[in-house]
Amino acid sequence: MADADDVRRVALALPHTAEIASDGFDFRVADKGFVWSYPERRPGKPRVIRLDIAVLFVGDEAEKQALLLGEPDVFFTTPGYDGLPLVLLRLATVDLERLSELVTDAWRMRAPDALLSDVEGAGK
């Protein structure tokens, strides 16, 4: 079972990641967000930052739909995210290994090619 502290540890372990000041968590690479806490909005009520749900960049609509249909207990969306390559992740439904995989994949999709080349070259 993962939590916001796990998201923070995983994200900050990735090269060139910056944490943006927020009421929850918000991580970027090259000024592009890849994982952040869910700002839940309910009609007529103030926004609530949900630390138990992460908004995760997934790259494209096909991947988004695959995750939503394949694991509806883990991933969901709301109308505010329609048409965007983002899913909402229930942190309590994943372990640290799965969280690391998801956050790292999101980071890779947002990182510039030059940064990816540097990282992959350093790993050889």
mmCIF file of all heavy atoms in Angstrom, residues 15-68:
data_model
loop_
_atom_site.group_PDB
_atom_site.id
_atom_site.type_symbol
_atom_site.label_atom_id
_atom_site.label_comp_id
_atom_site.label_asym_id
_atom_site.label_seq_id
_atom_site.Cartn_x
_atom_site.Cartn_y
_atom_site.Cartn_z
ATOM 1 N N PRO A 15 16.128 11.658 -11.911
ATOM 2 C CA PRO A 15 16.992 12.800 -12.249
ATOM 3 C C PRO A 15 16.223 14.045 -12.682
ATOM 4 O O PRO A 15 15.209 13.951 -13.380
ATOM 5 C CB PRO A 15 17.826 12.275 -13.425
ATOM 6 C CG PRO A 15 17.746 10.786 -13.329
ATOM 7 C CD PRO A 15 16.416 10.481 -12.712
ATOM 8 N N HIS A 16 16.720 15.184 -12.263
ATOM 9 C CA HIS A 16 16.204 16.493 -12.669
ATOM 10 C C HIS A 16 14.736 16.715 -12.315
ATOM 11 O O HIS A 16 14.051 17.505 -12.964
ATOM 12 C CB HIS A 16 16.442 16.728 -14.161
ATOM 13 C CG HIS A 16 17.884 16.647 -14.536
ATOM 14 N ND1 HIS A 16 18.757 17.690 -14.351
ATOM 15 C CD2 HIS A 16 18.613 15.623 -15.061
ATOM 16 C CE1 HIS A 16 19.957 17.325 -14.751
ATOM 17 N NE2 HIS A 16 19.904 16.083 -15.177
ATOM 18 N N THR A 17 14.263 16.015 -11.301
ATOM 19 C CA THR A 17 12.889 16.214 -10.837
ATOM 20 C C THR A 17 12.852 17.397 -9.882
ATOM 21 O O THR A 17 13.722 17.543 -9.024
ATOM 22 C CB THR A 17 12.366 14.948 -10.127
ATOM 23 O OG1 THR A 17 12.255 13.903 -11.089
ATOM 24 C CG2 THR A 17 11.009 15.186 -9.493
ATOM 25 N N ALA A 18 11.821 18.218 -10.047
ATOM 26 C CA ALA A 18 11.608 19.351 -9.152
ATOM 27 C C ALA A 18 10.251 19.185 -8.479
ATOM 28 O O ALA A 18 9.280 18.795 -9.132
ATOM 29 C CB ALA A 18 11.644 20.654 -9.930
ATOM 30 N N GLU A 19 10.210 19.474 -7.185
ATOM 31 C CA GLU A 19 8.932 19.490 -6.487
ATOM 32 C C GLU A 19 8.448 20.935 -6.439
ATOM 33 O O GLU A 19 9.164 21.829 -6.009
ATOM 34 C CB GLU A 19 9.049 18.923 -5.074
ATOM 35 C CG GLU A 19 7.707 18.875 -4.378
ATOM 36 C CD GLU A 19 7.719 18.110 -3.064
ATOM 37 O OE1 GLU A 19 8.806 17.775 -2.561
ATOM 38 O OE2 GLU A 19 6.620 17.848 -2.532
ATOM 39 N N ILE A 20 7.220 21.136 -6.889
ATOM 40 C CA ILE A 20 6.606 22.453 -6.914
ATOM 41 C C ILE A 20 5.828 22.637 -5.606
ATOM 42 O O ILE A 20 5.141 21.719 -5.161
ATOM 43 C CB ILE A 20 5.637 22.574 -8.120
ATOM 44 C CG1 ILE A 20 6.370 22.267 -9.436
ATOM 45 C CG2 ILE A 20 4.974 23.944 -8.162
ATOM 46 C CD1 ILE A 20 7.589 23.091 -9.695
ATOM 47 N N ALA A 21 5.933 23.808 -5.018
ATOM 48 C CA ALA A 21 5.208 24.084 -3.780
ATOM 49 C C ALA A 21 3.705 23.936 -4.008
ATOM 50 O O ALA A 21 3.158 24.465 -4.975
ATOM 51 C CB ALA A 21 5.526 25.490 -3.292
ATOM 52 N N SER A 22 3.069 23.162 -3.152
ATOM 53 C CA SER A 22 1.621 22.955 -3.242
ATOM 54 C C SER A 22 1.123 22.468 -1.887
ATOM 55 O O SER A 22 1.918 22.164 -0.993
ATOM 56 C CB SER A 22 1.279 21.942 -4.334
ATOM 57 O OG SER A 22 1.613 20.633 -3.934
ATOM 58 N N ASP A 23 -0.184 22.353 -1.759
ATOM 59 C CA ASP A 23 -0.762 21.823 -0.522
ATOM 60 C C ASP A 23 -0.599 20.307 -0.441
ATOM 61 O O ASP A 23 -0.821 19.726 0.614
ATOM 62 C CB ASP A 23 -2.241 22.181 -0.423
ATOM 63 C CG ASP A 23 -2.447 23.669 -0.206
ATOM 64 O OD1 ASP A 23 -1.531 24.334 0.334
ATOM 65 O OD2 ASP A 23 -3.514 24.184 -0.587
ATOM 66 N N GLY A 24 -0.248 19.690 -1.541
ATOM 67 C CA GLY A 24 -0.048 18.248 -1.588
ATOM 68 C C GLY A 24 1.341 17.952 -2.123
ATOM 69 O O GLY A 24 2.334 18.410 -1.580
ATOM 70 N N PHE A 25 1.395 17.211 -3.228
ATOM 71 C CA PHE A 25 2.659 16.965 -3.912
ATOM 72 C C PHE A 25 2.476 17.292 -5.385
ATOM 73 O O PHE A 25 1.384 17.187 -5.929
ATOM 74 C CB PHE A 25 3.160 15.529 -3.704
ATOM 75 C CG PHE A 25 2.158 14.444 -4.046
ATOM 76 C CD1 PHE A 25 2.019 13.973 -5.342
ATOM 77 C CD2 PHE A 25 1.357 13.890 -3.057
ATOM 78 C CE1 PHE A 25 1.100 12.978 -5.655
ATOM 79 C CE2 PHE A 25 0.442 12.882 -3.352
ATOM 80 C CZ PHE A 25 0.319 12.426 -4.658
ATOM 81 N N ASP A 26 3.563 17.719 -6.031
ATOM 82 C CA ASP A 26 3.520 18.128 -7.433
ATOM 83 C C ASP A 26 4.940 18.042 -7.970
ATOM 84 O O ASP A 26 5.804 18.823 -7.554
ATOM 85 C CB ASP A 26 2.976 19.555 -7.542
ATOM 86 C CG ASP A 26 2.779 20.010 -8.980
ATOM 87 O OD1 ASP A 26 3.291 19.366 -9.913
ATOM 88 O OD2 ASP A 26 2.119 21.051 -9.163
ATOM 89 N N PHE A 27 5.173 17.087 -8.883
ATOM 90 C CA PHE A 27 6.519 16.837 -9.383
ATOM 91 C C PHE A 27 6.592 17.060 -10.881
ATOM 92 O O PHE A 27 5.696 16.666 -11.626
ATOM 93 C CB PHE A 27 6.966 15.422 -9.026
ATOM 94 C CG PHE A 27 7.022 15.225 -7.549
ATOM 95 C CD1 PHE A 27 5.974 14.628 -6.875
ATOM 96 C CD2 PHE A 27 8.098 15.688 -6.813
ATOM 97 C CE1 PHE A 27 5.988 14.486 -5.502
ATOM 98 C CE2 PHE A 27 8.126 15.562 -5.435
ATOM 99 C CZ PHE A 27 7.076 14.942 -4.776
ATOM 100 N N ARG A 28 7.713 17.675 -11.299
ATOM 101 C CA ARG A 28 7.920 18.017 -12.700
ATOM 102 C C ARG A 28 9.332 17.688 -13.138
ATOM 103 O O ARG A 28 10.247 17.661 -12.323
ATOM 104 C CB ARG A 28 7.656 19.499 -12.919
ATOM 105 C CG ARG A 28 6.229 19.852 -12.556
ATOM 106 C CD ARG A 28 5.985 21.315 -12.554
ATOM 107 N NE ARG A 28 4.641 21.526 -12.003
ATOM 108 C CZ ARG A 28 3.780 22.383 -12.490
ATOM 109 N NH1 ARG A 28 4.100 23.129 -13.512
ATOM 110 N NH2 ARG A 28 2.598 22.496 -11.942
ATOM 111 N N VAL A 29 9.463 17.464 -14.433
ATOM 112 C CA VAL A 29 10.768 17.347 -15.069
ATOM 113 C C VAL A 29 10.715 18.276 -16.277
ATOM 114 O O VAL A 29 9.748 18.250 -17.036
ATOM 115 C CB VAL A 29 11.109 15.886 -15.448
ATOM 116 C CG1 VAL A 29 10.120 15.286 -16.434
ATOM 117 C CG2 VAL A 29 12.529 15.792 -15.995
ATOM 118 N N ALA A 30 11.715 19.123 -16.419
ATOM 119 C CA ALA A 30 11.753 20.109 -17.508
ATOM 120 C C ALA A 30 10.460 20.931 -17.540
ATOM 121 O O ALA A 30 9.901 21.183 -18.605
ATOM 122 C CB ALA A 30 12.016 19.426 -18.843
ATOM 123 N N ASP A 31 9.983 21.325 -16.380
ATOM 124 C CA ASP A 31 8.767 22.133 -16.227
ATOM 125 C C ASP A 31 7.499 21.442 -16.712
ATOM 126 O O ASP A 31 6.483 22.093 -16.963
ATOM 127 C CB ASP A 31 8.911 23.494 -16.920
ATOM 128 C CG ASP A 31 9.945 24.372 -16.231
ATOM 129 O OD1 ASP A 31 10.015 24.338 -14.979
ATOM 130 O OD2 ASP A 31 10.675 25.075 -16.941
ATOM 131 N N LYS A 32 7.524 20.125 -16.832
ATOM 132 C CA LYS A 32 6.343 19.355 -17.246
ATOM 133 C C LYS A 32 5.941 18.429 -16.107
ATOM 134 O O LYS A 32 6.742 17.620 -15.636
ATOM 135 C CB LYS A 32 6.639 18.518 -18.490
ATOM 136 C CG LYS A 32 6.942 19.350 -19.723
ATOM 137 C CD LYS A 32 7.239 18.432 -20.880
ATOM 138 C CE LYS A 32 7.617 19.216 -22.114
ATOM 139 N NZ LYS A 32 7.949 18.312 -23.222
ATOM 140 N N GLY A 33 4.682 18.553 -15.673
ATOM 141 C CA GLY A 33 4.196 17.719 -14.589
ATOM 142 C C GLY A 33 4.088 16.260 -15.002
ATOM 143 O O GLY A 33 3.692 15.955 -16.125
ATOM 144 N N PHE A 34 4.460 15.367 -14.077
ATOM 145 C CA PHE A 34 4.287 13.942 -14.357
ATOM 146 C C PHE A 34 3.507 13.220 -13.262
ATOM 147 O O PHE A 34 2.893 12.202 -13.524
ATOM 148 C CB PHE A 34 5.613 13.240 -14.686
ATOM 149 C CG PHE A 34 6.643 13.224 -13.574
ATOM 150 C CD1 PHE A 34 6.747 12.140 -12.722
ATOM 151 C CD2 PHE A 34 7.522 14.275 -13.420
ATOM 152 C CE1 PHE A 34 7.707 12.115 -11.720
ATOM 153 C CE2 PHE A 34 8.494 14.265 -12.427
ATOM 154 C CZ PHE A 34 8.583 13.180 -11.571
ATOM 155 N N VAL A 35 3.477 13.740 -12.050
ATOM 156 C CA VAL A 35 2.626 13.183 -10.991
ATOM 157 C C VAL A 35 2.363 14.270 -9.956
ATOM 158 O O VAL A 35 3.262 15.023 -9.591
ATOM 159 C CB VAL A 35 3.243 11.911 -10.354
ATOM 160 C CG1 VAL A 35 4.558 12.194 -9.643
ATOM 161 C CG2 VAL A 35 2.257 11.220 -9.414
ATOM 162 N N TRP A 36 1.097 14.374 -9.528
ATOM 163 C CA TRP A 36 0.718 15.360 -8.516
ATOM 164 C C TRP A 36 -0.504 14.872 -7.764
ATOM 165 O O TRP A 36 -1.195 13.949 -8.203
ATOM 166 C CB TRP A 36 0.497 16.741 -9.126
ATOM 167 C CG TRP A 36 -0.521 16.836 -10.209
ATOM 168 C CD1 TRP A 36 -1.854 17.117 -10.068
ATOM 169 C CD2 TRP A 36 -0.318 16.642 -11.612
ATOM 170 N NE1 TRP A 36 -2.477 17.114 -11.298
ATOM 171 C CE2 TRP A 36 -1.546 16.818 -12.265
ATOM 172 C CE3 TRP A 36 0.808 16.323 -12.391
ATOM 173 C CZ2 TRP A 36 -1.709 16.703 -13.637
ATOM 174 C CZ3 TRP A 36 0.650 16.203 -13.764
ATOM 175 C CH2 TRP A 36 -0.596 16.397 -14.371
ATOM 176 N N SER A 37 -0.755 15.497 -6.615
ATOM 177 C CA SER A 37 -1.915 15.116 -5.806
ATOM 178 C C SER A 37 -3.194 15.628 -6.471
ATOM 179 O O SER A 37 -3.199 16.687 -7.112
ATOM 180 C CB SER A 37 -1.782 15.619 -4.375
ATOM 181 O OG SER A 37 -1.418 16.970 -4.341
ATOM 182 N N TYR A 38 -4.250 14.885 -6.287
ATOM 183 C CA TYR A 38 -5.525 15.167 -6.947
ATOM 184 C C TYR A 38 -6.256 16.322 -6.283
ATOM 185 O O TYR A 38 -6.614 16.252 -5.112
ATOM 186 C CB TYR A 38 -6.384 13.906 -6.919
ATOM 187 C CG TYR A 38 -7.798 14.075 -7.411
ATOM 188 C CD1 TYR A 38 -8.088 14.735 -8.590
ATOM 189 C CD2 TYR A 38 -8.854 13.534 -6.690
ATOM 190 C CE1 TYR A 38 -9.395 14.868 -9.036
ATOM 191 C CE2 TYR A 38 -10.167 13.650 -7.130
ATOM 192 C CZ TYR A 38 -10.428 14.328 -8.307
ATOM 193 O OH TYR A 38 -11.717 14.452 -8.747
ATOM 194 N N PRO A 39 -6.514 17.402 -7.039
ATOM 195 C CA PRO A 39 -7.297 18.510 -6.501
ATOM 196 C C PRO A 39 -8.789 18.252 -6.752
ATOM 197 O O PRO A 39 -9.332 18.644 -7.778
ATOM 198 C CB PRO A 39 -6.788 19.722 -7.298
ATOM 199 C CG PRO A 39 -6.370 19.138 -8.612
ATOM 200 C CD PRO A 39 -5.923 17.727 -8.329
ATOM 201 N N GLU A 40 -9.417 17.574 -5.829
ATOM 202 C CA GLU A 40 -10.828 17.205 -6.006
ATOM 203 C C GLU A 40 -11.706 18.445 -5.951
ATOM 204 O O GLU A 40 -11.588 19.267 -5.047
ATOM 205 C CB GLU A 40 -11.246 16.215 -4.919
ATOM 206 C CG GLU A 40 -12.661 15.718 -5.080
ATOM 207 C CD GLU A 40 -13.036 14.670 -4.052
ATOM 208 O OE1 GLU A 40 -12.524 14.742 -2.907
ATOM 209 O OE2 GLU A 40 -13.818 13.780 -4.388
ATOM 210 N N ARG A 41 -12.587 18.536 -6.924
ATOM 211 C CA ARG A 41 -13.517 19.666 -6.991
ATOM 212 C C ARG A 41 -14.941 19.127 -6.913
ATOM 213 O O ARG A 41 -15.304 18.228 -7.667
ATOM 214 C CB ARG A 41 -13.319 20.427 -8.294
ATOM 215 C CG ARG A 41 -11.987 21.137 -8.356
ATOM 216 C CD ARG A 41 -11.715 21.715 -9.744
ATOM 217 N NE ARG A 41 -10.464 22.443 -9.793
ATOM 218 C CZ ARG A 41 -9.284 21.878 -10.028
ATOM 219 N NH1 ARG A 41 -9.198 20.594 -10.240
ATOM 220 N NH2 ARG A 41 -8.187 22.607 -10.053
ATOM 221 N N ARG A 42 -15.705 19.686 -5.998
ATOM 222 C CA ARG A 42 -17.122 19.334 -5.871
ATOM 223 C C ARG A 42 -17.949 20.601 -6.000
ATOM 224 O O ARG A 42 -17.582 21.619 -5.411
ATOM 225 C CB ARG A 42 -17.379 18.639 -4.540
ATOM 226 C CG ARG A 42 -16.784 17.223 -4.526
ATOM 227 C CD ARG A 42 -17.028 16.543 -3.226
ATOM 228 N NE ARG A 42 -15.917 16.917 -2.336
ATOM 229 C CZ ARG A 42 -15.923 16.765 -1.042
ATOM 230 N NH1 ARG A 42 -16.964 16.249 -0.434
ATOM 231 N NH2 ARG A 42 -14.888 17.111 -0.320
ATOM 232 N N PRO A 43 -19.038 20.540 -6.760
ATOM 233 C CA PRO A 43 -19.847 21.741 -6.978
ATOM 234 C C PRO A 43 -20.233 22.417 -5.664
ATOM 235 O O PRO A 43 -20.688 21.769 -4.726
ATOM 236 C CB PRO A 43 -21.087 21.213 -7.715
ATOM 237 C CG PRO A 43 -20.631 19.939 -8.357
ATOM 238 C CD PRO A 43 -19.595 19.362 -7.432
ATOM 239 N N GLY A 44 -20.003 23.720 -5.618
ATOM 240 C CA GLY A 44 -20.401 24.501 -4.462
ATOM 241 C C GLY A 44 -19.519 24.357 -3.239
ATOM 242 O O GLY A 44 -19.817 24.917 -2.186
ATOM 243 N N LYS A 45 -18.427 23.608 -3.360
ATOM 244 C CA LYS A 45 -17.535 23.400 -2.212
ATOM 245 C C LYS A 45 -16.105 23.762 -2.606
ATOM 246 O O LYS A 45 -15.742 23.689 -3.775
ATOM 247 C CB LYS A 45 -17.589 21.942 -1.755
ATOM 248 C CG LYS A 45 -18.956 21.552 -1.234
ATOM 249 C CD LYS A 45 -18.930 20.203 -0.587
ATOM 250 C CE LYS A 45 -20.326 19.917 -0.039
ATOM 251 N NZ LYS A 45 -20.347 18.712 0.742
ATOM 252 N N PRO A 46 -15.278 24.122 -1.626
ATOM 253 C CA PRO A 46 -13.880 24.424 -1.952
ATOM 254 C C PRO A 46 -13.141 23.170 -2.418
ATOM 255 O O PRO A 46 -13.484 22.050 -2.048
ATOM 256 C CB PRO A 46 -13.289 24.929 -0.635
ATOM 257 C CG PRO A 46 -14.376 24.928 0.370
ATOM 258 C CD PRO A 46 -15.594 24.329 -0.230
ATOM 259 N N ARG A 47 -12.118 23.396 -3.214
ATOM 260 C CA ARG A 47 -11.268 22.308 -3.705
ATOM 261 C C ARG A 47 -10.585 21.626 -2.520
ATOM 262 O O ARG A 47 -10.184 22.288 -1.556
ATOM 263 C CB ARG A 47 -10.234 22.904 -4.653
ATOM 264 C CG ARG A 47 -9.262 21.912 -5.217
ATOM 265 C CD ARG A 47 -8.310 22.612 -6.128
ATOM 266 N NE ARG A 47 -7.359 23.367 -5.327
ATOM 267 C CZ ARG A 47 -6.185 23.771 -5.762
ATOM 268 N NH1 ARG A 47 -5.834 23.561 -7.000
ATOM 269 N NH2 ARG A 47 -5.381 24.425 -4.967
ATOM 270 N N VAL A 48 -10.454 20.305 -2.582
ATOM 271 C CA VAL A 48 -9.793 19.525 -1.541
ATOM 272 C C VAL A 48 -8.623 18.777 -2.170
ATOM 273 O O VAL A 48 -8.798 18.062 -3.161
ATOM 274 C CB VAL A 48 -10.778 18.503 -0.908
ATOM 275 C CG1 VAL A 48 -10.057 17.612 0.085
ATOM 276 C CG2 VAL A 48 -11.948 19.214 -0.258
ATOM 277 N N ILE A 49 -7.428 18.972 -1.628
ATOM 278 C CA ILE A 49 -6.262 18.263 -2.134
ATOM 279 C C ILE A 49 -6.257 16.870 -1.522
ATOM 280 O O ILE A 49 -6.184 16.713 -0.301
ATOM 281 C CB ILE A 49 -4.946 19.002 -1.787
ATOM 282 C CG1 ILE A 49 -4.958 20.406 -2.375
ATOM 283 C CG2 ILE A 49 -3.741 18.199 -2.271
ATOM 284 C CD1 ILE A 49 -5.060 20.486 -3.873
ATOM 285 N N ARG A 50 -6.353 15.857 -2.372
ATOM 286 C CA ARG A 50 -6.401 14.460 -1.927
ATOM 287 C C ARG A 50 -5.002 13.857 -1.990
ATOM 288 O O ARG A 50 -4.454 13.649 -3.068
ATOM 289 C CB ARG A 50 -7.351 13.673 -2.827
ATOM 290 C CG ARG A 50 -8.795 14.137 -2.812
ATOM 291 C CD ARG A 50 -9.542 13.599 -1.613
ATOM 292 N NE ARG A 50 -9.475 12.159 -1.506
ATOM 293 C CZ ARG A 50 -10.383 11.316 -2.003
ATOM 294 N NH1 ARG A 50 -11.450 11.773 -2.627
ATOM 295 N NH2 ARG A 50 -10.236 10.011 -1.853
ATOM 296 N N LEU A 51 -4.428 13.575 -0.851
ATOM 297 C CA LEU A 51 -3.099 12.966 -0.801
ATOM 298 C C LEU A 51 -3.145 11.462 -1.025
ATOM 299 O O LEU A 51 -2.106 10.837 -1.216
ATOM 300 C CB LEU A 51 -2.445 13.274 0.542
ATOM 301 C CG LEU A 51 -2.198 14.753 0.817
ATOM 302 C CD1 LEU A 51 -1.593 14.933 2.201
ATOM 303 C CD2 LEU A 51 -1.332 15.377 -0.248
ATOM 304 N N ASP A 52 -4.339 10.880 -1.022
ATOM 305 C CA ASP A 52 -4.485 9.440 -1.239
ATOM 306 C C ASP A 52 -4.698 9.098 -2.714
ATOM 307 O O ASP A 52 -4.770 7.926 -3.073
ATOM 308 C CB ASP A 52 -5.637 8.885 -0.407
ATOM 309 C CG ASP A 52 -6.982 9.526 -0.743
ATOM 310 O OD1 ASP A 52 -7.016 10.740 -1.042
ATOM 311 O OD2 ASP A 52 -7.994 8.813 -0.703
ATOM 312 N N ILE A 53 -4.763 10.126 -3.562
ATOM 313 C CA ILE A 53 -4.970 9.926 -4.996
ATOM 314 C C ILE A 53 -3.931 10.743 -5.748
ATOM 315 O O ILE A 53 -3.754 11.935 -5.488
ATOM 316 C CB ILE A 53 -6.387 10.356 -5.426
ATOM 317 C CG1 ILE A 53 -7.423 9.495 -4.699
ATOM 318 C CG2 ILE A 53 -6.555 10.253 -6.943
ATOM 319 C CD1 ILE A 53 -8.849 9.953 -4.891
ATOM 320 N N ALA A 54 -3.255 10.101 -6.697
ATOM 321 C CA ALA A 54 -2.272 10.789 -7.530
ATOM 322 C C ALA A 54 -2.809 10.944 -8.942
ATOM 323 O O ALA A 54 -3.444 10.033 -9.475
ATOM 324 C CB ALA A 54 -0.965 9.996 -7.565
ATOM 325 N N VAL A 55 -2.551 12.097 -9.533
ATOM 326 C CA VAL A 55 -2.811 12.316 -10.950
ATOM 327 C C VAL A 55 -1.521 11.938 -11.659
ATOM 328 O O VAL A 55 -0.445 12.427 -11.305
ATOM 329 C CB VAL A 55 -3.180 13.782 -11.247
ATOM 330 C CG1 VAL A 55 -3.449 13.976 -12.732
ATOM 331 C CG2 VAL A 55 -4.372 14.221 -10.412
ATOM 332 N N LEU A 56 -1.632 11.057 -12.633
ATOM 333 C CA LEU A 56 -0.456 10.475 -13.270
ATOM 334 C C LEU A 56 -0.518 10.670 -14.779
ATOM 335 O O LEU A 56 -1.531 10.352 -15.409
ATOM 336 C CB LEU A 56 -0.445 8.980 -12.941
ATOM 337 C CG LEU A 56 0.784 8.161 -13.218
ATOM 338 C CD1 LEU A 56 1.925 8.588 -12.305
ATOM 339 C CD2 LEU A 56 0.483 6.694 -12.991
ATOM 340 N N PHE A 57 0.558 11.189 -15.361
ATOM 341 C CA PHE A 57 0.643 11.347 -16.815
ATOM 342 C C PHE A 57 0.852 9.967 -17.437
ATOM 343 O O PHE A 57 1.707 9.196 -17.006
ATOM 344 C CB PHE A 57 1.815 12.268 -17.174
ATOM 345 C CG PHE A 57 1.887 12.582 -18.634
ATOM 346 C CD1 PHE A 57 1.114 13.600 -19.160
ATOM 347 C CD2 PHE A 57 2.707 11.865 -19.475
ATOM 348 C CE1 PHE A 57 1.161 13.894 -20.513
ATOM 349 C CE2 PHE A 57 2.766 12.148 -20.825
ATOM 350 C CZ PHE A 57 1.985 13.168 -21.347
ATOM 351 N N VAL A 58 0.048 9.647 -18.463
ATOM 352 C CA VAL A 58 0.144 8.319 -19.084
ATOM 353 C C VAL A 58 0.503 8.347 -20.565
ATOM 354 O O VAL A 58 0.648 7.299 -21.167
ATOM 355 C CB VAL A 58 -1.144 7.488 -18.878
ATOM 356 C CG1 VAL A 58 -1.333 7.165 -17.415
ATOM 357 C CG2 VAL A 58 -2.363 8.187 -19.457
ATOM 358 N N GLY A 59 0.624 9.503 -21.164
ATOM 359 C CA GLY A 59 1.111 9.562 -22.534
ATOM 360 C C GLY A 59 0.063 9.741 -23.600
ATOM 361 O O GLY A 59 0.145 10.653 -24.393
ATOM 362 N N ASP A 60 -0.932 8.868 -23.636
ATOM 363 C CA ASP A 60 -1.948 9.006 -24.677
ATOM 364 C C ASP A 60 -3.265 8.370 -24.250
ATOM 365 O O ASP A 60 -3.345 7.678 -23.234
ATOM 366 C CB ASP A 60 -1.462 8.435 -26.015
ATOM 367 C CG ASP A 60 -1.175 6.943 -25.984
ATOM 368 O OD1 ASP A 60 -1.827 6.194 -25.238
ATOM 369 O OD2 ASP A 60 -0.292 6.504 -26.743
ATOM 370 N N GLU A 61 -4.292 8.625 -25.052
ATOM 371 C CA GLU A 61 -5.644 8.160 -24.736
ATOM 372 C C GLU A 61 -5.735 6.635 -24.729
ATOM 373 O O GLU A 61 -6.462 6.056 -23.915
ATOM 374 C CB GLU A 61 -6.644 8.753 -25.738
ATOM 375 C CG GLU A 61 -8.083 8.467 -25.407
ATOM 376 C CD GLU A 61 -8.594 9.132 -24.135
ATOM 377 O OE1 GLU A 61 -8.017 10.147 -23.687
ATOM 378 O OE2 GLU A 61 -9.601 8.651 -23.579
ATOM 379 N N ALA A 62 -4.991 5.968 -25.614
ATOM 380 C CA ALA A 62 -5.035 4.499 -25.668
ATOM 381 C C ALA A 62 -4.531 3.890 -24.365
ATOM 382 O O ALA A 62 -5.147 2.970 -23.819
ATOM 383 C CB ALA A 62 -4.225 3.983 -26.858
ATOM 384 N N GLU A 63 -3.424 4.402 -23.862
ATOM 385 C CA GLU A 63 -2.893 3.883 -22.594
ATOM 386 C C GLU A 63 -3.847 4.209 -21.449
ATOM 387 O O GLU A 63 -4.084 3.379 -20.562
ATOM 388 C CB GLU A 63 -1.513 4.455 -22.306
ATOM 389 C CG GLU A 63 -0.917 3.858 -21.048
ATOM 390 C CD GLU A 63 0.529 4.233 -20.813
ATOM 391 O OE1 GLU A 63 1.160 4.827 -21.698
ATOM 392 O OE2 GLU A 63 1.012 3.908 -19.720
ATOM 393 N N LYS A 64 -4.404 5.411 -21.469
ATOM 394 C CA LYS A 64 -5.357 5.805 -20.447
ATOM 395 C C LYS A 64 -6.535 4.832 -20.410
ATOM 396 O O LYS A 64 -6.901 4.319 -19.344
ATOM 397 C CB LYS A 64 -5.862 7.227 -20.723
ATOM 398 C CG LYS A 64 -6.932 7.709 -19.772
ATOM 399 C CD LYS A 64 -7.329 9.140 -20.116
ATOM 400 C CE LYS A 64 -8.368 9.681 -19.176
ATOM 401 N NZ LYS A 64 -8.613 11.124 -19.403
ATOM 402 N N GLN A 65 -7.121 4.554 -21.561
ATOM 403 C CA GLN A 65 -8.274 3.657 -21.624
ATOM 404 C C GLN A 65 -7.909 2.239 -21.195
ATOM 405 O O GLN A 65 -8.690 1.561 -20.520
ATOM 406 C CB GLN A 65 -8.901 3.676 -23.015
ATOM 407 C CG GLN A 65 -9.567 4.993 -23.349
ATOM 408 C CD GLN A 65 -10.600 5.414 -22.318
ATOM 409 O OE1 GLN A 65 -11.412 4.619 -21.849
ATOM 410 N NE2 GLN A 65 -10.569 6.691 -21.939
ATOM 411 N N ALA A 66 -6.718 1.784 -21.581
ATOM 412 C CA ALA A 66 -6.273 0.443 -21.186
ATOM 413 C C ALA A 66 -6.190 0.333 -19.659
ATOM 414 O O ALA A 66 -6.628 -0.664 -19.080
ATOM 415 C CB ALA A 66 -4.928 0.116 -21.828
ATOM 416 N N LEU A 67 -5.642 1.340 -19.020
ATOM 417 C CA LEU A 67 -5.538 1.319 -17.559
ATOM 418 C C LEU A 67 -6.910 1.401 -16.902
ATOM 419 O O LEU A 67 -7.208 0.647 -15.968
ATOM 420 C CB LEU A 67 -4.661 2.478 -17.077
ATOM 421 C CG LEU A 67 -3.175 2.380 -17.422
ATOM 422 C CD1 LEU A 67 -2.469 3.692 -17.117
ATOM 423 C CD2 LEU A 67 -2.511 1.222 -16.700
ATOM 424 N N LEU A 68 -7.759 2.294 -17.401
ATOM 425 C CA LEU A 68 -9.094 2.460 -16.815
ATOM 426 C C LEU A 68 -9.938 1.203 -16.956
ATOM 427 O O LEU A 68 -10.623 0.791 -16.010
ATOM 428 C CB LEU A 68 -9.812 3.640 -17.466
ATOM 429 C CG LEU A 68 -9.221 5.022 -17.205
ATOM 430 C CD1 LEU A 68 -9.919 6.063 -18.066
ATOM 431 C CD2 LEU A 68 -9.288 5.382 -15.734
#
